[in-house]
Amino acid sequence: MRNVQHHPKTDTLADYAAGRLDEARSVVVATHIERCQECRTAVRDLEAVAGLCLEAIEPVPMAANSMADFWAKAGDQELVLPGLLTARPANDVEMETCPPLAAFLPTSIDELPWKQVAPGLSQYVLEAEGYREGVLRLLKIAPGTKVSTHTHGEGELTLILRGAYRDEVGEFYPGDLADLDDGVTHAPVAIGDEDCICLIATNAPLVFKDLVGKVMQPFVKL
């Protein structure tokens, strides 16, 4: 199994460890971490540092009703067996069945009602909280298909689940995560013989550079 070559930025991992990412981006990072030992270790280290910082803060007494308010907001929680939390996927395809992503899928990826948005390009929008509706989605790119050249209003996290693509940054395979900002302009093209399936979260609309992308944007709302 190929080792992961592309990872989230350190700032992104720090925001994830601190709980500062919205749900959409957290799902992408958490799914990557299921596949990537290096990033799992980094998150544990960041959490440990944060714990040391908390210990250095002068304690402040909690209000008498703090715990009651917490559980009122948290609601009823289902019991999750520890084994499910520590399980790691056995191969690339099983990434889609790991807990972070699987919780958002109504069925297997192959059985999803994919919506074609352009020749060789289909998507399935997942319900997750973010800066706007539809910020978390699966994108399926047929072999040889090129996504219109674009940059990003702010940031984009793209995790490869199956297949592969190549762009100006490099080649991305299952487990690789592209952590991109408005300084990157690229046009990914699916390589190999199978569909490239990506899990994508954005925190601003994409900015397409060509006419095809600009015409498509109002309909696909990427």
Side-chain angles (χ1 to χ4, degrees):
M1 182 168 59
R2 176 183 177 274
N3 291 329
V4 175
Q5 301 295 318
H6 299 276
H7 309 272
K9 299 172 184 174
T10 301
D11 287 350
T12 301
L13 287 176
D15 285 341
Y16 172 79
R20 288 194 293 263
L21 295 181
D22 57 37
E23 185 176 46
R25 287 178 291 166
S26 293
V27 171
V28 178
V29 174
T31 305
H32 167 79
I33 289 173
E34 286 290 313
R35 173 70 167 76
C36 180
Q37 178 64 50
E38 179 179 333
C39 288
R40 285 200 300 276
T41 301
V43 168
R44 283 198 297 267
D45 291 344
L46 288 164
E47 291 173 339
V49 170
L52 292 173
C53 292
L54 286 175
E55 291 180 359
I57 297 174
E58 188 68 26
V60 177
M62 295 176 62
N65 61 340
S66 294
M67 289 304 297
D69 289 345
F70 169 79
W71 287 114
K73 292 178 180 178
D76 295 331
Q77 303 295 312
E78 293 185 5
L79 175 64
V80 179
L81 298 178
L84 295 179
L85 296 178
T86 57
R88 301 298 176 204
N91 54 56
D92 294 344
V93 174
E94 290 185 10
M95 284 183 60
E96 65 206 46
T97 67
C98 70
L101 174 57
F104 288 81
L105 295 175
T107 184
S108 71
I109 283 182
D110 294 316
E111 296 175 347
L112 291 173
W114 292 91
K115 179 180 179 181
Q116 185 173 355
V117 295
L121 194 66
S122 302
Q123 71 172 354
Y124 179 80
V125 176
L126 302 172
E127 293 185 8
E129 294 183 5
Y131 79 102
R132 65 184 175 101
E133 184 179 356
V135 296
L136 183 65
R137 69 189 66 227
L138 292 168
L139 194 66
K140 181 164 64 175
I141 313 170
T145 299
K146 184 177 183 180
V147 179
S148 295
T149 303
H150 64 276
T151 185
H152 311 89
E154 288 186 33
E156 173 187 286
L157 297 176
T158 298
L159 174 65
I160 308 302
L161 301 179
R162 295 186 190 174
Y165 76 67
R166 179 190 298 117
D167 67 1
E168 288 76 359
V169 178
E171 292 187 354
F172 292 78
Y173 293 86
D176 286 334
L177 189 150
D179 189 349
L180 307 177
D181 56 30
D182 57 5
V184 176
T185 299
H186 67 150
V189 56
I191 57 177
D193 299 326
E194 66 176 323
D195 293 333
C196 178
I197 298 180
C198 311
L199 177 65
I200 301 174
T202 56
N203 60 346
L206 303 187
V207 180
F208 286 99
K209 299 297 185 179
D210 55 22
L211 180 60
V212 173
K214 291 178 179 178
V215 171
M216 183 178 66
Q217 174 68 295
F219 300 98
V220 300
K221 299 179 180 179
L222 281 170

